[in-house]
């Protein structure tokens, strides 16, 4: 995955809002949107960097997407699943060596300066390519951005680059920052990273550590008549139970990214004036995976990896850990992705007898105490579900004679142990699928990734055939041929099991029925909320 570690609630907060629009069809349709009001939202983390051009993370987007805008946003009905933001059109050259963006006219930064193509060129070359956690891969071959006029930016690539990839990356990877604010001095330490200056419908107003973030209406926003809200306040509620209590008391109007515990949803959904929203996070799919350190002799054996896969009851995991708010996974692309997903992959039915037989065949017999060998298991601490799955996996492995010794770390220690020190045998991870395998999925299995890159292949796995397939897909310009290559990619990953995909999950939102026009795009919680409103 990803991002920077955020707690389960913050992650859940973003996705849940997205669901809300489809689950609240009467809100915003039966009533006329109201202007004014303060929307108070639960937040359970305080990002150290609020610049989404550097940290392309849902925890950052949740706040900053209302301030700093990108070239295009995800859309349920738009062409190629997109709608314009700072760009009004985009087109890739047939040779894959350039992409042209026509920009929106009349846009101003929050400090009153005009937005121009120079800002896009600076953001792409100096921030996305050089500094952004995900952009460094997607824009690695970007060598120049021509600006023939103030409303045109032409991206030039050193090697043919699939426009399908660039297009799919627009919502998450193209937040534009003002050149005049960042061009002098060190970008990564610029004060604007914690008090962003953007073009969005809301301006950064105030941050009180441990208490709240406050955004205020941008009266000069380019969207006619928008935004509807006067203010958005993110109230810091690190205790998950607090979000449910605050909703019931009317102190907040929205808890996204599953800020309300799954076990409480049945009760809270019956409270008059509140609505549980279970759809709309299509662009924010998290994946529950078992990361494997192939440096360990036993785990380098495919039969052992197959045995572990057969020992996991995915249906039980979905029903018991996720309470049904997830889907079993078949491979590295989630089932809800209509563009790339294929079900035509090897699968591993829950079968303890088969798992034991595979371990016997591999030569790992049980000792007198019933144990074949021991492993160090590190569950990611970011979500309750990843921690609970760690407990489940320990028990599942015990049933096939593997002694999994749990090591529970805080977020920083977990990241270091897994992605820098490689001090693990198995780890439970929650990467994010971002609409295209090349953005944040192939990196999970591709070899040659430097040490220290979060949510990447740090398990020593190397498969020359799979690496070649990933490389070929990165150069294939025809969308149909590229899609087919990624279907082959899914088959090879499922066959060789460099990691084990267990489940795909989204989030749940709980909202006051007074909140209108929520979840109207597949990334709503991390979109700009310009048309969100609050009834009196």
């Amino acid at each position: 995955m990803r991002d920077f570690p955020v707690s389960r609630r913050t992650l859940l907060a973003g996705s849940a809002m997205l669901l809300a629009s489809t689950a609240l069809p009467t809100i915003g349709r039966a009533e006329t949107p109201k202007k004014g009001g303060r929307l108070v939202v639960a937040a359970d983390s305080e990002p150290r960097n609020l610049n989404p051009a550097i940290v392309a993370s849902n925890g950052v987007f949740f706040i900053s997407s209302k301030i700093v805008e990108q070239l295009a946003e995800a859309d349920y009905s738009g062409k190629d699943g997109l709608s314009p933001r700072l760009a009004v059109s985009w087109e890739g050259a047939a040779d894959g060596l350039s992409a042209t963006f026509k920009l929106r006219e009349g846009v101003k930064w929050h400090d009153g300066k005009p937005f121009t193509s120079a800002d896009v060129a600076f953001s792409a070359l100096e921030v996305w390519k050089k500094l952004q956690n995900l952009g460094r891969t997607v824009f690695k071959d970007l060598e120049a951005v021509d600006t023939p006029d103030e409303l045109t930016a032409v991206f030039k690539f050193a090697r043919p680059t699939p426009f399908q990839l660039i297009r799919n990356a627009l919502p998450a990877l193209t937040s534009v920052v003002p050149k005049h604010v960042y061009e002098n001095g060190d970008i990564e330490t610029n004060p604007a990273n914690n008090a962003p200056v953007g073009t969005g419908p809301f301006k950064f107003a105030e941050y009180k550590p441990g208490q709240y973030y406050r955004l205020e209406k941008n009266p000069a926003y380019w969207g006619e008549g928008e935004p509807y809200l006067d203010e958005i306040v993110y109230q810091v509620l690190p205790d998950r139970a607090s979000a449910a209590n605050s909703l019931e008391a009317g102190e907040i109007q929205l808890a996204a990214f599953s800020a309300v515990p799954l076990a409480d949803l049945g009760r809270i959904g019956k409270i008059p004036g509140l609505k549980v929203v279970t759809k709309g996070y299509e662009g924010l799919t998290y994946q529950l995976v078992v990361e494997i350190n192939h440096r360990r002799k036993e785990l380098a054996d495919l039969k052992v990896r197959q045995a572990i896969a057969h020992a996991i009851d995915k249906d039980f995991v979905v029903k018991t850990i996720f309470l049904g708010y997830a889907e079993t996974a078949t491979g590295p692309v989630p089932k809800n992705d209509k563009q790339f997903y294929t079900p035509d992959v090897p699968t591993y039915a829950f079968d303890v007898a088969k798992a034991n037989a595979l371990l016997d065949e591999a030569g790992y017999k049980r000792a007198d105490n019933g144990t074949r060998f021991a492993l160090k298991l590190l569950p990611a601490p970011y979500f309750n579900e990843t921690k609970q799955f760690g407990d489940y996996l320990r028990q599942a492995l015990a049933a096939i004679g593997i002694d999994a010794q749990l090591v529970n770390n805080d977020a920083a220690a977990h990241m270091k142990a897994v992605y820098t020190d490689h001090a693990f045998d198995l780890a439970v991870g929650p990467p994010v699928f971002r609409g295209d395998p090349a953005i944040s999925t192939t990196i999970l299995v591709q070899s040659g990734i430097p040490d220290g890159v979060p949510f990447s292949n740090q398990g020593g796995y190397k498969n020359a055939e799979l690496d070649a397939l990933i490389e070929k897909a990165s150069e294939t310009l025809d969308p149909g041929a590229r899609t087919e290559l990624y279907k082959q990619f899914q088959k090879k990953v499922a066959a060789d099991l460099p990691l084990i995909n267990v489940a795909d999950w989204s989030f749940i939102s709980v909202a006051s029925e007074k909140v209108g026009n929520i979840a109207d795009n597949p990334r709503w919680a991390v979109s700009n909320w310009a048309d969100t409103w609050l009834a009196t």
Side-chain angles (χ1 to χ4, degrees), residues 304-444:
V304 172
R305 302 197 298 273
Q306 290 172 334
I308 293 172
H310 279 297
I312 298 171
D313 186 344
K314 295 180 181 180
D315 289 326
F316 176 85
V317 170
V318 166
K319 292 174 184 176
T320 305
I321 294 177
F322 290 97
L323 302 182
Y325 293 106
E327 195 165 19
T328 58
T330 58
V333 174
K335 294 175 181 176
N336 68 4
D337 184 85
K338 297 178 181 178
Q339 191 173 27
F340 295 102
Y341 175 72
T342 177
D344 186 20
V345 299
T347 57
Y348 302 87
F350 176 55
D351 190 333
V352 173
K354 187 167 186 176
N356 276 306
L358 283 165
L359 291 171
D360 288 340
E361 290 173 23
Y364 297 104
K365 306 297 184 182
R366 290 179 184 264
D368 291 342
N369 65 358
T371 300
R372 302 174 190 272
F373 53 85
L375 294 174
K376 187 185 296 184
L377 170 60
L378 280 65
Y382 321 130
F383 302 100
N384 282 345
E385 287 80 9
T386 52
K387 292 183 285 187
Q388 290 169 9
F389 178 72
D391 291 332
Y392 163 79
L393 184 58
R394 179 182 61 80
Q395 297 174 48
L397 294 176
I400 58 173
I402 298 175
D403 178 16
Q405 299 165 0
L406 282 175
V407 179
N408 291 302
N409 291 317
D410 63 21
H414 179 83
M415 295 285 278
K416 184 175 186 294
V418 176
Y419 301 110
T420 299
D421 298 341
H422 312 142
F424 73 103
D425 296 317
L426 299 177
V428 179
V432 182
F433 183 78
R434 298 186 181 277
D436 191 294
I439 295 175
S440 56
T441 301
T442 56
I443 194 174
L444 299 172

Side-chain angles (χ1 to χ4, degrees), residues 8-10 12-13 16 42 44 239-241 243-244 255-261 508:
R8 172 173 203 281
R9 239 181 48 194
T10 305
L12 298 181
D44 71 344
D239 176 8
R240 294 182 67 218
F257 282 116
S258 301
V260 174
I508 308 300

Side-chain angles (χ1 to χ4, degrees), residues 60-210:
V60 174
F61 291 149
F62 185 42
I63 298 170
S64 295
S65 59
K66 289 71 184 163
I67 308 166
V68 180
E69 294 185 298
Q70 72 277 64
L71 295 179
E73 182 56 277
D75 190 277
Y76 284 123
S77 57
K79 186 177 184 295
D80 298 316
L82 296 171
S83 62
R85 284 292 189 267
L86 292 178
V88 295
S89 68
W90 41 88
E91 183 178 6
D95 61 6
L97 292 174
S98 68
T100 300
F101 294 88
K102 295 294 184 180
L103 306 178
R104 190 176 296 279
E105 189 174 4
V107 177
K108 292 187 181 297
W109 293 102
H110 293 159
D111 61 8
K113 300 274 200 279
F115 160 76
T116 72
S117 55
D119 298 306
V120 175
F122 177 84
S123 297
L125 291 170
E126 301 301 324
V127 188
W128 307 343
K129 178 180 177 176
K130 294 181 180 179
L131 303 177
Q132 191 189 97
N133 53 325
L134 301 176
R136 282 180 288 194
T137 298
V138 172
F139 295 106
K140 62 182 174 59
D141 293 318
L142 181 67
E143 61 178 1
V145 178
D146 292 347
T147 54
D149 59 58
E150 290 191 343
L151 297 177
T152 304
V154 183
F155 287 31
K156 298 295 185 73
F157 297 96
R159 298 171 54 201
T161 299
F163 188 63
Q164 182 187 42
L165 168 60
I166 300 302
R167 192 177 62 214
N168 288 340
L170 293 179
L173 274 61
T174 64
S175 297
V176 181
V177 295
K179 178 182 178 181
H180 65 274
V181 171
Y182 280 94
E183 63 183 332
N184 296 315
D186 179 31
I187 293 173
E188 292 184 286
T189 59
N190 193 302
N193 291 334
N194 290 308
V197 177
T199 60
F202 297 93
K203 295 181 176 183
F204 180 85
E206 186 180 15
Y207 168 50
K208 294 288 187 183

